[in-house]
Amino acid sequence: MIHIPNSIQTQCELVLGDWTSFHCRPETVWHERTIDFLTSLSTEIRRHPEAKSSPDLMALAFWLRKSHLLSMRRECHTAELSMGLGLTFHICPSNVPINFAYSLAFALLAGNSCVLRLSSKSNRATEIVLQTLTDLINKPENFSIAKRILLLSYQYNDDISAFWFSKAAGKVIWGGDSTINKMRQFPTPPRSREVAFADRYSFCVINAEYVLSIDNNQLQSECQNIFNDIYQLDQAGCSSPQLCIWVGSNNSILQAKGKIWQNVSIIAAKKRTDVNDIQVLNKFVNTCDAIIDHDQVTKVDIISPQLTLITVDKLNIAQHQFRGTSGQIYEASIQSLDELVPLINEKVQTLSYLGIDKYALQELIINNNLTGIDRIVPTGKALNMHNLWDGYDIIAGLSRTITIE
């Protein structure tokens, strides 16, 4: 048990959990009881009548299914005994509110008790997950899990945050550089662990000749993958591509662009009928800012309300400062992968690729001693959450290994 002062309780909205029964005793990593609970959460989300119309819900439910959890466990398998740290405190993201569920799942799988400060920004998918969690932890078979979870809502309050950080054996901070720097001001126990998700930048690389070589069915599939990466989170996620880099001759790139963007815009027009005036206006303002502030912008194509393309003629570190939203993509052309090097620093998280040899990308990192790129994945998988994320082994980072000789 942990003593939670009334002064802390009264300043928080307790969204889920129970103040009096909450405890911070660690359990073994990948405990079957935890896997069963998360599997039940997956099942109940998929049963919700609104699930199929929400990509966020379906992605979460798919990720939480038992076969996927067991697959991750096999990848993380070690012969050593691994236990949780105890209490973990999470500052959850506002750009992608549903990521609180992944943060919770990782910490539970790592054998921890979890206190999460939820973002004040919510959406329908987040509400459904919270309601589903509430229903599940009220079932008798989940009481032991319920004692390990507190979900809180409160406006930024240094007293509350300082209390939880002072108790946290592990802390998980989403929200970017400024949030991380702010939260690091609070004292934590000497052996407290940290997993912090800073501001990151992601892009995709496409081989133009590959695009021209595939048949129409394969082209449609590849365009659907690119659409998913861009639009599922409206480019709000750190792994969402902001920049598309084409590799090839000028002529092949021109043809490949036409094929890809024509099909992506058709998919977007069918699937993103919910685009609103504010989104269109924001993209227009962002585009005007880019024309003024970005020295390398040479062309702008407003393909549709859903898709805007901004061409730059040179890659450099400053490109990280220019980000799109809701289908606003920067583009550049190169003839060799070596031309990517000036773009890459520690800010770069995910490189998604189409028609590119992944081992050539691996060699690019090694041969140029790059400090950036933590993920190299095919297009369509940019947003796929994994235990290995942002360069961290999250579950290893939130647990301890016990050697026994």
Side-chain angles (χ1 to χ4, degrees), residues 246-261:
W246 299 87
V247 184
S249 66
N250 291 337
N251 185 55
S252 64
I253 289 174
L254 184 64
Q255 294 182 63
K257 282 184 179 182
K259 285 178 173 287
I260 292 291
W261 296 131

Side-chain angles (χ1 to χ4, degrees), residues 62-359:
F62 188 75
W63 189 85
L64 289 170
R65 74 196 191 283
K66 189 164 189 175
S67 60
H68 180 252
L69 296 179
L70 294 179
S71 175
M72 282 202 299
R73 184 173 69 175
R74 286 192 295 272
E75 293 174 7
C76 300
H77 177 72
T78 173
E80 306 291 347
L81 172 62
S82 294
M83 298 286 292
L85 302 175
L87 173 64
T88 57
F89 180 48
H90 306 236
I91 300 294
C92 297
S94 58
N95 61 330
V96 187
I98 202 168
N99 275 7
F100 89 88
Y102 294 98
S103 198
L104 174 65
F106 281 129
L108 289 174
L109 289 168
N112 297 297
S113 296
C114 312
V115 179
L116 279 69
R117 178 196 178 271
L118 301 177
S119 169
S120 58
K121 296 180 181 179
S122 185
N123 55 34
R124 182 57 181 154
T126 303
E127 293 170 358
I128 290 170
V129 175
L130 286 171
Q131 185 56 59
T132 306
L133 274 169
T134 301
D135 294 341
L136 279 176
I137 67 168
N138 286 327
K139 294 183 176 181
E141 62 267 28
N142 294 323
F143 282 174
S144 61
I145 296 286
K147 294 177 182 179
R148 297 166 57 198
I149 301 173
L150 287 180
L151 304 188
L152 310 178
S153 177
Y154 62 90
Q155 296 300 316
Y156 278 116
N157 181 307
D158 285 355
D159 291 339
I160 300 173
S161 296
F163 170 78
W164 288 114
F165 278 120
S166 74
K167 304 295 183 183
K171 53 185 179 177
V172 182
I173 307 173
W174 305 73
D177 298 356
S178 60
T179 300
I180 292 168
N181 290 333
K182 167 71 174 176
M183 298 305 157
R184 283 177 175 166
Q185 296 174 20
F186 299 112
T188 57
R191 280 177 50 81
S192 180
R193 305 274 192 89
E194 177 185 272
V195 175
F197 299 108
D199 293 328
R200 305 302 298 275
Y201 182 88
S202 297
F203 62 89
C204 68
V205 181
I206 300 178
N207 181 340
E209 292 292 347
Y210 171 80
V211 173
L212 299 180
S213 71
I214 57 180
D215 61 29
N216 189 61
N217 287 338
Q218 186 64 31
L219 176 65
Q220 295 298 320
S221 176
E222 303 290 8
C223 289
Q224 180 66 57
N225 287 337
I226 293 170
F227 168 84
N228 291 342
D229 285 349
I230 295 172
Y231 289 94
Q232 183 171 325
L233 297 179
D234 275 338
Q235 295 176 272
C238 58
S239 59
S240 302
Q242 305 290 333
L243 169 70
C244 179
I245 300 172
W246 299 87
V247 184
S249 66
N250 291 337
N251 185 55
S252 64
I253 289 174
L254 184 64
Q255 294 182 63
K257 282 184 179 182
K259 285 178 173 287
I260 292 291
W261 296 131
Q262 179 184 14
N263 283 283
V264 169
S265 65
I266 291 172
I267 296 170
K270 291 178 180 178
K271 296 193 173 185
R272 288 309 310 270
T273 56
D274 59 338
V275 63
N276 58 53
D277 293 342
I278 296 298
Q279 289 173 307
V280 174
L281 180 60
N282 285 343
K283 281 200 289 188
F284 181 75
V285 171
N286 286 349
T287 301
C288 292
D289 288 342
I291 293 170
I292 296 169
D293 298 332
H294 197 314
D295 294 338
Q296 274 76 47
V297 170
T298 60
K299 185 182 179 183
V300 172
D301 292 306
I302 301 177
I303 306 298
S304 69
Q306 292 86 1
L307 181 61
T308 297
L309 305 174
I310 303 173
T311 302
V312 298
D313 65 357
K314 187 178 180 181
L315 295 176
N316 59 49
I317 292 298
Q319 184 62 44
H320 304 154
Q321 303 169 25
F322 297 89
R323 298 175 183 247
T325 178
S326 305
Q328 183 182 44
I329 297 293
Y330 287 83
E331 290 190 289
S333 299
I334 61 176
Q335 294 182 335
S336 165
L337 292 179
D338 289 332
E339 295 176 60
L340 295 173
V341 172
L343 174 69
I344 299 167
N345 65 6
E346 69 280 357
K347 285 288 186 185
V348 178
Q349 188 216 57
T350 297
L351 187 163
S352 53
Y353 62 91
L354 176 61
I356 304 289
D357 181 2
K358 63 183 179 183
Y359 295 108

Side-chain angles (χ1 to χ4, degrees), residues 51-65:
K52 290 185 178 180
S53 62
S54 171
D56 285 355
L57 287 176
M58 292 306 294
L60 176 62
F62 188 75
W63 189 85
L64 289 170
R65 74 196 191 283

